[in-house]
Amino acid sequence: MKHIYLNLKRFDVPAEYGGVNRLAPVADWGKVIVEAVQEGLKAYDPKEAEFAIYFPEAHLLAAAAAKKEDSPIQIGCQSVYRMDTAVGGNFGAFTTNRTASAMVAAGCSTTIIGHCEERNDKAGILAEAGVTDTHAVNRLLNQEIKCAVSRGMKVLYCIGEKSEEQENWQQVLGEQLTLGLQDVDTSKVVIAYEPVWSIGPGKTPADREYITKIARFVKEKTGGLDIVYGGGLKKDNAAMLASIPEIDGGLIALTRFVGEIGFYPEEYLGIISLYMGK
């Protein structure tokens, strides 16, 4: 099974506000994306490939409403809170937070947890509080994963090392896996590897050899969990990633990196076609 994921981050922000959305008015953005891609994704055997799209929370209802009954798209949210509602317990006192129960009720069947941007945010908050425990972020993510899985959600769990961590990559990634997945039912988990050190303008992308090394390590460490490349599946690397037996898919974000950069549905479908070889 190949897993093709799409993280739309904050790509809904209009260009006049510094964003990259030239696709649709914000109120229609989620609906437009689902309607633009769901028919094209039917070209792939659902036994061979699954497709999930992680939307900013404001767009979940419109995206779910636009999803047809036979659509291959799984609607996803961008992480969940580390606590949840419960019958006879807390019924919703979670101001500003996305509980797993709320996300399932909104139509989500999957979530992305531990993205490097989420990790940075949590680490920054902990640092402001004077917390120097390097394992704290992984423990918080572990709680989020447990909440998601307990609600029946699939989880894309992101791991990755920064430039200053490359020398100790085995320890860093090993701890992210061990602590993040502790006591988790991993039958609903797919791992995404983000080479944080290689992501961004002017940086050298991770090559085939390095990605293969990491994928083999992750599979050995997790007992063979599926792993996708989270450093950005794109037109330029689709064929290379497809040639790595240990890689089970990829995480797409931007589809265009020059000119009017942003996410464009037809280019998204083109990247998938290149990766899947049809």
Side-chain angles (χ1 to χ4, degrees), residues 161-235:
E161 77 280 32
K162 300 178 181 178
S163 297
E164 62 271 23
E165 297 171 327
Q166 262 195 288
E167 187 175 333
N168 301 314
W169 68 268
Q170 288 178 297
Q171 178 183 346
V172 172
L173 300 184
E175 289 172 350
Q176 291 175 358
L177 290 167
T178 300
L179 296 175
L181 298 178
Q182 186 172 0
D183 300 324
V184 169
D185 173 9
T186 56
S187 65
K188 291 184 175 293
V189 177
V190 171
I191 305 299
Y193 169 61
E194 296 181 280
V196 184
W197 55 270
S198 74
I199 300 173
K203 295 185 179 180
T204 303
D207 60 19
R208 188 182 194 279
E209 181 180 1
Y210 195 93
I211 296 169
T212 301
K213 175 182 72 174
I214 299 296
R216 288 174 178 169
F217 171 81
V218 170
K219 286 186 178 292
E220 180 180 349
K221 191 78 175 175
T222 62
L225 287 185
D226 283 357
I227 176 172
V228 304
Y229 181 66
L233 171 59
K234 58 195 78 173
K235 179 177 66 175

Side-chain angles (χ1 to χ4, degrees), residues 46-67:
K47 296 179 181 178
E48 296 179 359
E50 69 167 6
F51 305 96
I53 302 179
Y54 301 107
F55 286 92
E57 186 173 346
H59 305 285
L60 291 177
L61 295 179
K67 180 182 171 183

Side-chain angles (χ1 to χ4, degrees), residues 2-11 29 33 37 41 44 49-56 78 112 115 117 156 158 191-195 199 228-239 241 247-257 262-276:
K2 294 296 184 182
H3 313 272
I4 309 295
Y5 302 110
L6 170 61
N7 183 17
L8 290 169
K9 300 190 180 184
R10 272 265 71 103
F11 296 163
W29 187 75
I33 289 172
V37 303
L41 295 178
Y44 304 96
E50 69 167 6
F51 305 96
I53 302 179
Y54 301 107
F55 286 92
Q78 297 173 341
I112 180 172
H115 189 282
E117 293 160 11
L156 179 62
C158 301
I191 305 299
Y193 169 61
E194 296 181 280
I199 300 173
V228 304
Y229 181 66
L233 171 59
K234 58 195 78 173
K235 179 177 66 175
D236 295 343
N237 64 11
L241 292 171
I247 289 293
D248 304 295
L251 178 60
I252 298 170
L254 291 177
T255 61
R256 189 182 304 176
F257 298 86
F263 170 80
Y264 297 90
E266 69 279 6
E267 295 172 354
Y268 162 75
L269 292 173
I271 291 169
I272 294 173
S273 177
L274 287 172
Y275 180 81
M276 296 297 292

